[in-house]
Amino acid sequence: MDQLTGFLTLSLVKAAPLIFAALGGVVCERAGILNIALEGQLTVGAFTAVVVSFVTGSPILGLAAGIAAGALCGWLLGFAATRFNVNQIVAGTGINLLALGGCAFGLTVVFGQPGASAEVHALGRSGEYALILVAFLAAAGLHVALNKTRWGLRTRAAGENPHALASASVDPRRVRVLATILGGALAGLGGAYLSIGELDLYSDGMTAGRGFIALAAVIFGRWTPLGATGASIGFGALAALQFVLQRSGIPSELMQALPYLAALAALTGITGRARAPKADGIPYTG
Amino acid sequence: MRPWVAAVGLLAIAALAMVVAGANPLLGFFALFQGSLGGPSQIAETLVQTSSLLFPSLAVAFAFRAGLFNIGAEGQLIVGGLVAGVLGVHLIAPQIIAVPILLAGGALGGAIWGSLAGILRARFGGNEVIATLMLNIIAALMANYLVVGPLHTPGAAGPETGELPVTSWLPTLLPGSRLTIALIIAILLAFLVRWVFDRTVFGYELRASGDAPDAARRAGINLPRMAFLAMSISGAMAGLGGATIVTGVLHRFNVSLSPGYGFIAIAVALVGDLDPLLIVVASFAFGMLQSGSLTMQAVAHVPKDVVSFVEGLAIVALAARRFVGTRKTAAGA
């Protein structure tokens, strides 16, 4: 029984950052921006949270800064994609590289050592659990907001048919930028959860591809907040299962690869027809 | 944004970052220059980086020109390197036979890896961006599993094969350096790609399916077939690059054989305006950054990661170049 509780708890602990990032991905894609920079936004959120907590001694401020940094990173994608019509995929790849390099650079500058930061004041166990709760609330909130509010309608319109939105005198570009800021903020929150929620430091590569697993969760969850959350919980359970099955002889690499394989399967359509928002990834040129 | 504006802006940001790091930017740039072009051995190392970047950059450009986003050059390079490394440790043959076999094996491995995304796109209409992103990570995990587990070379420590026999090494161009004929192969490949695009029907069909997919379809071009071929050929080039790193630079396969060449390649391809010959020049410039960054870190105390930061910015700034917006298909399945 204790083992089962332990496994379920660990699953949720591992799922929370995926949920945040996947929700960020859902908002962006529903608004028509393919955000493959989730990994970079997680990284920037994790790093900024640690730096601010280190400088101010307050993990709460660190958390806020992590969210803000993620939002800024999201804005960069949205701004580039709507103002200059840059290709979203190329820009997203650039932001990932920029974020990884920038944080590794910043780490050496701030902490005087490459690899990992010093230990900083973290949110602690209770803060970590509170954030897990926040992840679920965010999922429910986003579900309602996307489906029941005017903002949600506009966001979905920007992703399905931006020209219709424009004929209703709403600028799809604005809607899209807003979505990328929100999406980046959510991913930044996920990053802060990793560095000062689950742990109390930042180390290079600590996001370990979670931004890409989150992208997989978005597809597997068919671009809906609740679907993506469900997929994230499943992937979180897979991560927890790795600890349980460590000595079972099942290659850990296979377990790690499962989310990505699941995403590929979802792309082939064998898991049921899934359809991306119609204008996802296509620049709106007015 | 005009290229020279972008270049000046990026240099200014790099200088600013050096100041933030408490370093003298002039010293930083000088060290970067010294470390990349300061002497024969530095130039040789820069050319090693040039050729390692040139293969995946041509791969990325090839797919881009056909309207496909191959974000998976990194994974294709890893698979190509894996095939070359695993074959290479076991292959006992004279150099003249062994080397071509290993290079062909690497290209084939990369082609298969690239074709997976191509099949997904051609057969199911699945988005190649997401597919190649996922395949990158799957490639690294698979390679790690294979070289540590079932295909382990006796005596090898860590996620790598043992050292390849000397007969499997690429011939060097400059004794005592890591510079091999890989550079010549890469440059010939650039000319070949340019020839294919400019002078062959196949190249015309590829460009047409990228620039005007609707018109291409009406003209009878089989778009799914083009997607499959473009991704396979693109993957073959990246895989060939991985094989040259294994047989020419490291003389073994290691899971972390690439410091992100497949991603930097996107910047190189964009800076080179998707023109194979300009990409040769761009690869040299980025090769300088790769090889000079360690000297910059050692002499001027600028963390070498500033290079990937600036490369990332370059990609964002240059993403607005001409080929953008041609894509008309939605993301995802």
Side-chain angles (χ1 to χ4, degrees):
Chain A
M1 195 61 211
D2 269 0
Q3 265 182 333
L4 184 67
T5 326
F7 171 72
L8 291 178
T9 314
L10 188 59
S11 300
L12 291 180
V13 165
K14 294 290 171 198
L18 298 176
I19 295 176
F20 284 125
L23 291 176
V26 168
V27 185
C28 293
E29 290 201 40
R30 289 302 283 270
I33 302 271
L34 180 55
N35 183 358
I36 65 168
L38 288 172
E39 180 77 2
Q41 289 153 4
L42 279 169
T43 306
V44 165
F47 176 71
T48 310
V50 161
V51 169
V52 170
S53 176
F54 175 71
V55 172
T56 64
S58 159
I60 298 291
L61 282 179
L63 183 68
I67 297 171
L72 184 71
C73 218
W75 169 82
L76 179 61
L77 176 66
F79 177 73
T82 55
R83 179 81 170 68
F84 294 113
N85 283 327
V86 306
N87 185 280
Q88 300 166 9
I89 294 147
V90 177
T93 312
I95 291 174
N96 280 336
L97 201 59
L98 179 161
L100 248 62
C103 292
F105 172 79
L107 187 66
T108 320
V109 171
V110 177
F111 294 96
Q113 60 191 26
S117 76
E119 287 177 14
V120 299
H121 292 288
L123 295 164
R125 183 58 62 85
S126 57
E128 181 187 354
Y129 288 168
L131 281 183
I132 295 175
L133 192 63
V134 171
F136 283 98
L137 292 176
L142 188 61
H143 171 73
V144 174
L146 269 180
N147 293 305
K148 306 278 181 209
T149 69
R150 197 170 65 162
W151 169 81
L153 184 66
R154 288 180 171 178
T155 301
R156 285 182 290 131
E160 292 288 345
N161 192 344
H163 296 281
L165 192 61
S167 23
S169 303
V170 181
D171 185 358
R173 298 188 190 90
R174 271 181 71 96
V175 177
R176 286 184 164 188
V177 173
L178 204 66
T180 55
I181 293 173
L182 179 59
L186 281 164
L189 176 54
Y193 169 93
L194 281 174
S195 64
I196 59 170
E198 210 180 322
L199 296 169
D200 55 4
L201 53 79
Y202 172 86
S203 66
D204 277 335
M206 76 182 301
T207 53
R210 284 184 179 82
F212 299 117
I213 299 185
L215 268 182
V218 173
I219 297 166
F220 213 63
R222 300 183 186 191
W223 292 271
T224 65
L226 299 185
T229 302
S232 298
I233 295 172
F235 294 158
L238 274 179
L241 206 57
Q242 277 171 45
F243 290 92
V244 181
L245 297 179
Q246 239 162 16
R247 294 179 198 290
S248 67
I250 298 175
S252 67
E253 289 91 350
L254 179 64
M255 303 284 296
Q256 289 168 39
L258 279 177
Y260 308 108
L261 292 168
L264 287 182
L267 282 177
T268 62
I270 58 171
T271 56
R273 203 59 209 155
R275 193 183 67 82
K278 223 179 200 146
D280 192 4
I282 300 174
Y284 172 75
T285 44
Chain B
M1 206 179 294
R2 297 197 173 279
W4 67 268
V5 179
V8 171
L10 290 170
L11 280 178
I13 290 170
L16 191 68
M18 290 182 195
V19 173
V20 170
N24 178 345
L26 286 178
L27 184 62
F29 284 122
F30 182 69
L32 193 66
F33 184 74
Q34 272 287 313
S36 55
L37 299 174
S41 65
Q42 282 84 353
I43 293 174
E45 190 54 30
T46 296
L47 290 173
V48 170
Q49 299 294 335
T50 303
S51 74
S52 297
L53 272 170
L54 192 45
F55 288 102
S57 303
L58 291 170
V60 168
F62 191 86
F64 273 175
R65 290 285 288 268
L68 294 163
F69 289 84
N70 183 6
I71 312 293
E74 185 78 0
Q76 293 143 13
L77 188 148
I78 290 175
V79 173
L82 175 71
V83 172
V86 170
L87 280 181
V89 258
H90 298 291
L91 187 66
I92 307 297
Q95 195 179 31
I96 190 92
I97 297 169
V99 166
I101 289 180
L102 296 182
L103 294 184
L108 184 66
I112 290 173
W113 210 248
S115 76
L116 292 179
I119 291 169
L120 210 69
R121 166 79 185 232
R123 180 88 173 71
F124 303 100
N127 181 279
E128 78 280 3
V129 177
I130 305 287
T132 49
L133 273 176
M134 301 294 149
L135 285 167
N136 280 340
I137 305 171
I138 296 171
L141 288 168
M142 178 184 76
N144 197 64
Y145 168 69
L146 288 177
V147 296
V148 175
L151 299 177
H152 180 73
T153 334
E160 58 178 35
T161 62
E163 190 173 58
L164 270 55
V166 182
T167 47
S168 292
W169 295 9
L170 277 181
T172 51
L173 287 178
L174 185 71
S177 79
R178 308 200 290 176
L179 183 61
T180 66
I181 59 165
L183 180 67
I184 296 170
I185 300 174
I187 292 173
L188 289 177
L189 186 65
F191 278 98
L192 179 68
V193 171
R194 168 122 173 185
W195 177 77
V196 167
F197 271 120
D198 290 357
R199 297 266 179 264
T200 67
V201 174
F202 176 60
Y204 171 77
E205 291 183 344
L206 279 173
R207 279 187 291 133
S209 36
D211 293 340
D214 289 335
R217 186 169 40 233
R218 286 196 200 98
I221 294 173
N222 184 342
L223 290 184
R225 181 170 167 270
M226 283 294 143
F228 172 76
L229 287 176
M231 286 304 294
S232 306
I233 295 170
S234 177
M237 289 191 237
L240 179 59
T244 64
I245 294 173
V246 167
T247 54
V249 183
L250 303 176
H251 300 139
R252 68 182 69 225
F253 170 79
N254 185 305
V255 170
S256 43
L257 80 165
S258 162
Y261 289 132
F263 299 111
I264 302 168
I266 297 166
V268 178
L270 290 176
V271 170
D273 211 15
L274 306 188
D275 175 338
L277 302 188
L278 284 180
I279 287 173
V280 175
V281 180
S283 292
F284 183 74
F286 279 83
M288 280 176 63
L289 289 181
Q290 288 304 117
S291 69
S293 60
L294 281 175
T295 310
M296 181 183 69
Q297 178 166 275
V299 176
H301 307 291
V302 180
K304 65 172 174 23
D305 308 285
V306 74
V307 167
S308 33
F309 176 71
V310 173
E311 283 166 349
L313 272 179
I315 296 181
V316 178
L318 291 163
R321 307 283 292 155
R322 69 179 165 84
F323 73 98
V324 300
T326 55
R327 214 170 100 87
K328 291 289 188 285
T329 45

